[in-house]
């Protein structure tokens, strides 16, 4: 779980020993004080020793947070902290907190007051660090005059209540404890809402989550308070005594677990528990969280959205959001990944007019992305082409979104951007050419650079800062790889030497060893070698997949480089981008961009079937990638090993073919006869076994098999789970097709049955044993797109089958 990982990371920031707890009754006398120093100042513990109040060192030993934390667990999870209206909330080393008659006072080493407990009525007699995690100031007579439970930050604990107009507010980021962009509020009308606020004010945008606890039709049903009762139940208590449970029926024992509810910095309100009695590195477990789909919880006046302006929100598998800038945009503040994105170019009617190029913009197509509330014009009925054209011609238009025969034109700044696979939409995004060319291609003017550096072999790049590297996986035509090393800035970060003229970077073996942490995290294994995950330390680090090649048969460095040049020059949205390589002694490694959503195999053969539209998109993507390799590259590339394990999915589930070019790299003379069979059982074309010439048609065959797998969501060979007649998918599908019982193969998914039948026919055309009968990939793409008609296919294997 990501949460676990985060917390583990987090705990390493704290340097105090786990517990230096001496028996106490929790009472602190007026006049007592604590000083922020590493190590030698014991905090104030609760009698049970579960909670501590004091200074926690954060990050390094020079900054401290005045806070309350769980003292017995190494995570040092903070449940309350002071000074969050200042940025930073941290106090420098040597700061002190005093318990005075007037309350708590946090003072800097220079004697400046940083924070004090709010104005209180009465005179403090003593403080108590309670076993519940509540730090209380008492007047010695009538009771509590100030408590942290009544002045909460981002966390609630069992025993704590929030009255109407009471709030929690998130911290700014994972490590920045100043006030953040999200708040939880029990409104005067009784609704409990989550909303973004417009800092530095607390003006709230429309909620992205709200409970149904207003008076409505039943008098007295409005929420009175948010209660976290001591048994660990969190509910809104209504005026009439009714309860609105936030967690449903789920509950864990309060006796055996620490329980807390926290409004996270990314806007998710969640309840967690942690066993009290544990051994080893146990961490917090999520019990529930709200809302369940934060990126899509958008209403009209939600302000910037979950992410900043122009950014795009995407839900991770753990239900937590991440934010990314579109291409051509970068973070306004690189230290704030959830913040706004700024365009790296200037768009405007005057600028467009002055532009030296006739069409100053490139159009990037993004699927299933929308900014729902930045429209200024809407057209219906319309076509996608007209939508693109209309935005392209319009100097006010930044992006046009097309869906269901409707076209929306949108202007900057875009807000509430999110990924939503249910949309089935296309966004046509305008990015200025002059600027992008400048930034995208490190090689745009190699001659100039060579002259300046007067060096004939090395081109030291001053620095490479990668903005939004992940985002690259996102897109689109052409310049994908060029975009990988994205923005060049003055600050020296790291120099990369020796760039081939195809934008590939040459890494030393040591660099890759460091990047992969000594080749530890294995992503996968294939015929060509093992793939490891790594991070290259440029900017904030780029994730890459490093492939260690088994044995390179191509002899000589020159041939290796020649082949790499071919691979390096391929740029297509359906191909995985090669970033660089290492060719050092025995070591031959390839460095690819890392794609987050794994392989098509994992996607297709999972427990739940992906949607039909998504599957068709993937099939078309693979076909287009292959068409490009076969016909549109400067040198034809035959893949030789097309299979679902070699097709990766990026953040947006766009199919990306990997391992192309390797067959050639690892084998001479592939286009004639051969000795070893390349490829994988179940996917290889029959000509491999028949001493026939190997042509691009071998890929068409493998594509046909993969297409049938995509249609049926099952593996091409499945002996274990199928009876004999169904074990070989290609045979079974053809039999069912011939007998007119395709719905059996399709698992009785009748939606778009005609569509499916057409795809099955295309698949059968591709798996013809006779290579000359198979269509070219161009024809396949045309058939998939419905541009040409699909005829009735013949029996794919007339030689080996009867019938
Ligand atoms: C707690 O202990 C302190 C001394 O450590 C003592 O002065 C104080 O009276 C005690 N308070 C209570 C409530 O027992
Ligand atoms: C902690 O708070 C509870 C509930 O308010 C109270 O019963 C208990 O006495 C307090 N403990 C101490 C040590 O003050
Ligand atoms: C806490 O709330 C739950 C659910 O409403 C209830 O069953 C339980 O008795 C409450 N516990 C206490 C100590 O009030
Ligand atoms: C803590 O766990 C250990 C092992 O599970 C058990 O032996 C021990 O009795 C537990 N202690 C408490 C206080 O529950
Ligand atoms: C606990 O930590 C060790 C070493 O840091 C690690 O190998 C192990 O996977 C961790 N266990 C859990 C459950 O996180
Ligand atoms: C983009 O181009 C405009 C003019 O075409 C220029 O003023 C601006 O500085 C450029 N932006 C960047 C980031 O290079
Ligand atoms: C969008 O329109 C522009 C201008 O006509 C054209 O160059 C571009 O190829 C179009 N893009 C798509 C995806 O239709
Ligand atoms: C498409 O738009 C039409 C016209 O507004 C509407 O009736 C229909 O429900 C929409 N279909 C989808 C799938 O959104």
């Amino acid at each position: 779980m990501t949460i676990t990982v985060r917390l583990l990371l987090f705990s390493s920031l704290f340097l105090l020993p786990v517990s230096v707890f001496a028996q106490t009754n929790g009472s602190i006398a007026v006049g007592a004080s604590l000083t922020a120093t590493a190590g030698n100042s014991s905090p104030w513990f609760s009698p049970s020793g579960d909670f501590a109040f004091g200074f926690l060192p954060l990050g390094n030993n020079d900054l401290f947070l005045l806070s309350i934390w769980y003292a017995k667990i190494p995570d040092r999870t903070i449940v309350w902290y002071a000074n969050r209206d200042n940025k930073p909330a941290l106090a420098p080393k040597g700061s002190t907190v005093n318990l005075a008659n007037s309350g708590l006072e946090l003072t800097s080493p220079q004697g400046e007051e940083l924070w004090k407990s709010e104005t209180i009525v009465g005179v403090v007699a003593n403080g108590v660090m309670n076993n519940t995690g509540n730090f209380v100031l008492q007047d010695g007579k009538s009771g509590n005059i100030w408590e942290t439970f009544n002045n909460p930050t981002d966390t609630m604990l069992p025993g704590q209540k929030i009255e109407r107009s009471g709030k929690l507010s998130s911290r700014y980021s994972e490590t920045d404890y100043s006030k953040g962009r999200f708040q939880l509020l029990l409104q005067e009308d009784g609704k409990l809402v989550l909303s973004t606020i417009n800092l530095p004010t607390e003006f709230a945008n429309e909620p992205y989550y709200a409970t149904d606890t207003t008076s409505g039709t039943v008098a007295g049903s409005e929420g009175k308070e948010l209660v976290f009762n001591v048994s660990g139940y969190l509910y809104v208590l209504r005026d009439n005594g009714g309860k609105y449970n936030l967690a449903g029926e789920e509950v864990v024992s309060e006796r055996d677990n620490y329980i807390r509810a926290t409004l996270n910095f990314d806007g998710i309100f969640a309840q967690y528990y942690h066993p009290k009695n544990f051994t080893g590195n146990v961490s917090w477990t999520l019990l529930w969280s709200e809302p369940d789909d934060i990126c899509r919880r958008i209403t009209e006046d939600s302000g910037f959205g979950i992410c900043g302006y122009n950014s795009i929100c995407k839900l991770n598998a753990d239900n937590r959001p991440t934010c990314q800038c579109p291409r051509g945009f970068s973070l306004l503040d690189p230290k704030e990944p959830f913040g706004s994105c700024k365009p790296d170019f200037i768009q405007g009617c005057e600028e467009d007019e002055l532009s030296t190029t006739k069409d100053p913009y490139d159009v990037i197509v993004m699927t299933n992305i929308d900014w729902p509330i930045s429209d200024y014009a809407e057209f219906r009925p319309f076509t996608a082409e007209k939508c693109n054209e209309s935005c392209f011609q319009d100097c006010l238009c930044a992006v046009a979104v097309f869906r269901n025969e409707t076209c929306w034109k949108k202007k900057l700044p875009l807000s509430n951007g999110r990924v939503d696979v249910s949309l089935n939409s296309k966004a046509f995004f305008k990015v200025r050419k002059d600027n992008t060319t400048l930034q995208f291609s490190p090689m745009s003017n190699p001659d100039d650079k060579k002259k300046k550096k007067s060096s004939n072999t090395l081109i030291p790049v001053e620095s490479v800062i990668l903005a939004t590297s992940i985002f690259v996986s996102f897109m689109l035509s052409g310049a994908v790889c060029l975009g990988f090393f994205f923005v060049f800035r003055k600050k020296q970060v790291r120099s990369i030497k020796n760039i081939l003229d195809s934008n590939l970077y040459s890494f030393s073996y040591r660099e890759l060893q460091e990047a992969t942490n000594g080749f530890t995290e294995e992503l996968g294994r294939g015929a060509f070698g093992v793939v490891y995950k790594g991070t290259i330390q440029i900017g904030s680090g780029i994730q890459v997949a490093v492939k260690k090649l088994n044995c390179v048969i191509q002899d000589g460095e020159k041939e290796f480089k020649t082949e790499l040049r071919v691979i390096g020059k391929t740029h297509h949205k359906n191909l995985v981008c090669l970033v660089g390589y290492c060719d050092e002694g025995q070591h031959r490694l390839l460095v690819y961009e890392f794609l987050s959503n794994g392989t098509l195999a994992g996607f297709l053969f999972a427990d739940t079937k992906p949607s039909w539209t998504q599957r068709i998109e993937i099939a078309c993507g693979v076909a287009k990638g292959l068409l490009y390799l076969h016909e549109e590259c400067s040198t034809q590339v035959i893949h030789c090993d097309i299979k679902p394990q070699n097709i990766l999915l990026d953040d947006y589930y766009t199919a990306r073919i990997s391992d192309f070019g390797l067959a050639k790299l690892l084998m001479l003379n592939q286009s004639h006869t051969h000795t070893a069979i390349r490829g994988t059982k179940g996917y290889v074309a029959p000509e491999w076994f028949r001493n026939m010439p190997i042509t691009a048609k071998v890929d068409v065959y493998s594509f046909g098999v993969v297409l049938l797998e995509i249609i049926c969501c099952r593996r091409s060979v499945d002996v274990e789970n199928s009876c004999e007649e169904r074990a070989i998918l290609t045979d079974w599908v053809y039999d069912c097709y011939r007998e007119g019982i395709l719905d059996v193969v399709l698992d009785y998914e009748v939606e778009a049955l005609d569509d499916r039948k057409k795809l099955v026919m295309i698949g059968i055309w591709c798996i013809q044993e006779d290579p000359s009968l198979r269509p070219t990939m161009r024809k396949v793409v045309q058939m998939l797109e419905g541009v040409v008609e699909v005829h009735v296919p013949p029996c794919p294997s007339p030689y080996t089958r009867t019938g």
Side-chain angles (χ1 to χ4, degrees):
M1 239 180 151
T2 326
I3 299 156
T4 316
V5 175
R6 282 195 192 137
L7 288 171
L8 284 177
L9 263 176
F10 199 58
S11 60
S12 64
L13 299 175
F14 300 107
L15 303 170
L16 288 184
V18 169
S19 186
V20 278
F21 171 61
Q23 198 59 49
T24 157
N25 60 15
S27 183
I28 318 297
V30 166
S33 72
L34 292 170
T35 305
T37 50
N40 58 6
S41 171
S42 168
W44 297 331
F45 288 101
S46 64
S48 62
D50 285 329
F51 290 95
F53 176 101
F55 290 103
L56 261 183
L58 284 180
N60 59 43
N61 284 340
D62 292 333
L63 290 171
F64 296 79
L65 185 65
L66 179 61
S67 54
I68 298 173
W69 65 93
Y70 292 96
K72 288 183 178 170
I73 54 182
D75 281 348
R76 299 291 183 180
T77 308
I78 293 167
V79 299
W80 179 90
Y81 44 93
N83 199 27
R84 66 191 169 135
D85 288 333
N86 284 332
K87 200 172 175 91
L90 305 181
K93 185 173 176 173
S95 299
T96 54
V97 60
N98 275 297
L99 181 56
N101 286 124
S102 57
L104 289 164
E105 293 166 354
L106 174 63
T107 317
S108 77
Q110 290 75 34
E112 181 196 351
E113 181 182 284
L114 297 175
W115 171 86
K116 63 192 284 216
S117 51
E118 244 168 70
T119 349
I120 48 180
V121 183
V123 175
V124 177
N126 67 290
V128 178
M129 182 66 248
N130 193 299
N131 279 337
T132 53
N134 190 10
F135 189 86
V136 183
L137 300 181
Q138 297 176 326
D139 61 5
K141 300 190 289 275
S142 53
N144 304 342
I145 52 178
W146 185 89
E147 23 185 317
T148 54
F149 270 18
N150 291 341
N151 295 274
T153 53
D154 61 356
T155 296
M156 269 183 100
L157 296 173
Q160 194 167 354
K161 280 178 192 169
I162 286 182
E163 314 270 332
R164 282 189 197 145
S165 78
K167 293 171 186 170
L168 294 184
S169 59
S170 68
R171 48 178 98 146
Y172 198 82
S173 73
E174 197 124 39
T175 49
D176 181 345
Y177 290 81
S178 54
K179 190 174 274 167
R181 300 178 300 133
F182 301 93
Q183 81 175 12
L184 173 91
L185 168 71
L186 185 61
Q187 291 182 168
E188 287 296 338
D189 67 0
K191 258 191 214 172
L192 181 72
V193 299
L194 288 168
S195 42
T196 52
I197 56 171
N198 293 308
L199 291 172
T201 67
E202 291 192 0
F203 182 79
N205 298 307
E206 279 295 303
Y208 56 90
Y209 167 85
T211 59
D212 176 22
T213 49
T214 47
S215 55
T217 47
V218 187
S221 58
E222 54 269 52
K224 184 170 73 171
E225 49 194 22
L226 173 63
V227 179
F228 203 172
N229 83 8
V230 291
S231 325
Y233 288 83
L234 189 62
Y235 53 84
V236 178
L237 182 65
R238 301 178 193 266
D239 268 343
N240 61 14
K243 292 173 179 175
Y244 178 99
N245 269 327
L246 281 130
E249 296 309 308
E250 291 166 273
V251 78
V252 293
S253 148
E254 203 273 333
R255 204 197 48 193
D256 302 329
N257 294 283
Y258 296 117
I259 306 177
R260 67 185 166 96
T262 299
L263 176 59
N264 290 297
F265 78 95
D266 56 9
I268 301 278
F269 185 48
Q271 189 176 339
Y272 303 90
Y273 61 94
H274 187 298
K276 287 185 179 171
N277 182 13
F278 64 94
T279 50
N281 46 3
V282 175
S283 194
W284 291 91
T285 308
L286 178 72
L287 189 64
W288 57 264
S289 69
E290 289 287 357
D292 53 7
D293 191 354
I294 193 166
C295 295
R296 284 166 51 185
R297 296 285 186 132
I298 307 292
T299 53
E300 285 303 316
D301 291 312
S302 324
F304 42 86
I306 303 308
C307 304
Y309 289 108
N310 298 328
S311 187
I312 299 171
C313 179
K314 182 186 171 234
L315 206 62
N316 285 340
D318 63 358
N319 255 3
R320 303 286 292 264
T322 52
C323 299
Q324 298 170 336
C325 295
R327 202 184 76 181
F329 286 67
S330 51
L331 286 173
L332 207 51
D333 180 348
K335 291 197 294 290
E336 282 181 18
F338 280 70
S340 295
C341 307
K342 61 176 168 50
D344 296 325
F345 53 89
I346 292 180
Q347 185 189 354
C349 295
E350 218 165 302
E351 285 80 3
D352 285 7
E353 205 136 282
L354 293 176
S355 171
T356 45
T357 23
K358 196 175 127 278
D359 291 330
Y361 292 97
D362 279 327
V363 174
I364 293 167
V365 183
M366 300 189 259
T367 50
N368 296 334
I369 290 191
D370 199 5
W371 292 268
I373 54 174
S374 307
D375 311 337
Y376 69 90
E378 182 172 340
F379 306 89
R380 183 210 311 254
F382 228 46
T383 62
E385 290 70 33
K386 279 200 268 179
C387 188
N388 169 33
E389 198 61 38
S390 168
C391 182
F392 194 81
Q393 305 291 356
D394 181 349
C395 63
L396 297 173
C397 182
V399 58
V401 171
F402 179 79
R403 161 166 63 90
N404 189 17
E405 299 191 353
T406 312
C407 176
W408 289 270
K409 289 204 285 188
K410 295 165 192 283
K411 58 189 186 324
L412 295 179
L414 301 161
S415 64
N416 287 290
R418 77 261 175 104
V419 176
D420 180 351
V421 287
S422 73
L423 281 178
N424 213 352
S425 69
K426 274 199 164 81
F428 300 98
F429 206 93
K430 279 162 72 181
V431 176
R432 209 177 164 91
K433 275 178 192 162
D434 7 13
N435 284 74
T436 38
T437 328
L438 251 174
Q439 291 169 26
F440 273 68
S441 172
M443 302 309 298
S444 59
N445 249 331
D447 294 340
D448 291 359
K449 282 190 183 167
K450 270 181 200 162
K451 269 175 225 150
K452 269 185 223 140
K453 299 287 171 193
S454 66
S455 147
N456 51 2
T457 50
L458 299 185
I459 306 168
V461 175
E462 291 300 325
S463 73
V464 185
I465 292 183
L466 185 99
T468 55
S469 69
I470 355 152
F471 209 70
V472 168
S473 58
F474 202 18
M475 309 218 166
L476 43 118
S477 54
V480 174
C481 296
L482 297 182
F484 208 90
F485 291 97
F486 195 91
V487 179
F488 288 73
R489 300 238 173 111
K490 285 190 196 82
K491 210 175 115 223
Q492 176 81 38
V493 176
R494 176 187 187 277
S495 67
I496 292 185
K497 54 181 190 297
N498 205 3
I499 305 171
L500 285 173
D501 60 5
S502 49
N503 302 297
L504 291 180
Y505 291 84
S506 160
F507 295 94
S508 72
Y509 188 69
R510 239 192 79 206
E511 280 171 322
L512 294 183
Q513 208 166 15
E514 276 165 19
T516 57
N517 208 352
F519 300 103
T520 41
E521 192 178 339
E522 198 176 307
L523 290 172
R525 263 164 201 278
F528 303 121
V530 184
V531 187
Y532 300 92
K533 189 168 173 185
T535 305
I536 293 177
Q537 295 309 326
I538 302 175
S540 53
I542 318 168
Q543 290 196 317
V544 291
V546 178
K547 175 164 244 158
K548 251 181 150 172
L549 297 179
N550 278 339
C551 51
V552 178
I553 302 172
Q554 284 277 22
D555 39 36
E557 199 184 2
K558 212 171 146 224
E559 284 81 357
F560 184 76
K561 289 233 168 75
T562 311
E563 274 325 307
L564 282 185
R565 242 181 222 120
V566 173
I567 303 176
K569 276 185 182 154
T570 52
H571 302 302
H572 189 269
K573 67 172 172 179
N574 296 114
L575 300 182
V576 173
C577 174
L578 181 67
V579 181
Y581 66 98
C582 163
D583 180 17
E584 201 178 284
Q586 311 282 318
H587 304 299
R588 298 261 165 92
L589 299 96
L590 300 178
V591 181
Y592 292 96
E593 65 180 314
F594 173 76
L595 297 181
S596 56
N597 276 321
T599 68
L600 176 59
F603 182 68
L604 220 46
F605 310 135
D607 292 338
T608 48
K609 267 192 197 180
S611 79
W612 177 242
T613 12
Q614 234 173 353
R615 276 144 62 197
I616 297 194
E617 293 242 321
I618 289 172
C620 288
V622 178
K624 285 178 186 164
L626 277 175
L627 166 62
Y628 172 83
L629 290 175
H630 289 176
E631 297 184 22
E632 290 164 7
C633 285
S634 46
T635 318
Q636 186 188 48
V637 177
I638 304 179
H639 190 294
C640 296
D641 198 13
I642 285 292
K643 56 180 176 180
Q645 289 78 8
N646 277 340
I647 295 160
L648 304 180
L649 299 174
D650 67 17
D651 285 5
Y652 302 92
Y653 294 95
T654 305
R656 309 275 296 266
I657 299 172
S658 76
D659 273 7
F660 54 88
L662 291 196
K664 183 88 177 292
L665 190 63
L666 303 182
M667 190 181 66
L668 285 165
N669 290 339
Q670 70 164 2
S671 56
H672 301 293
T673 51
H674 52 85
T675 45
I677 291 175
R678 287 283 149 199
T680 306
K681 204 165 148 275
Y683 301 92
V684 296
E687 50 270 39
W688 287 107
F689 307 103
R690 297 197 181 139
N691 215 24
M692 288 161 76
I694 299 304
T695 67
K697 291 290 180 72
V698 299
D699 287 348
V700 178
Y701 183 93
S702 308
F703 174 78
V705 179
V706 172
L707 180 59
L708 294 178
E709 291 185 316
I710 291 174
I711 296 167
C712 305
C713 278
R714 59 150 275 191
R715 292 173 198 278
S716 70
V717 180
D718 186 356
V719 184
E720 271 168 41
N721 301 317
S722 310
C723 53
E724 199 183 333
E725 69 191 28
R726 296 181 172 197
I728 307 295
L729 180 64
T730 51
D731 294 349
W732 180 46
V733 169
Y734 182 70
D735 290 343
C736 292
Y737 168 75
R738 204 188 39 190
E739 287 159 32
I741 48 167
L742 265 187
D743 45 348
V744 178
V745 189
L746 301 176
D747 208 9
Y748 304 101
E749 285 183 290
V750 288
E751 174 210 345
L753 194 60
D754 286 344
D755 224 16
R756 288 172 202 239
K757 187 174 167 197
K758 187 185 95 179
L759 261 70
V760 167
M761 286 161 73
I762 300 172
I764 295 173
W765 273 112
C766 293
I767 57 167
Q768 293 294 318
E769 277 192 11
D770 179 352
S772 66
L773 288 180
R774 289 173 217 153
T776 60
M777 281 318 294
R778 179 171 300 280
K779 186 87 182 290
V780 171
V781 169
Q782 288 169 340
M783 290 194 284
L784 286 171
E785 286 182 337
V787 183
V788 303
E789 210 183 315
V790 186
H791 298 289
V792 173
C795 172
S797 45
Y799 315 123
T800 51
R801 292 157 60 97
T802 50

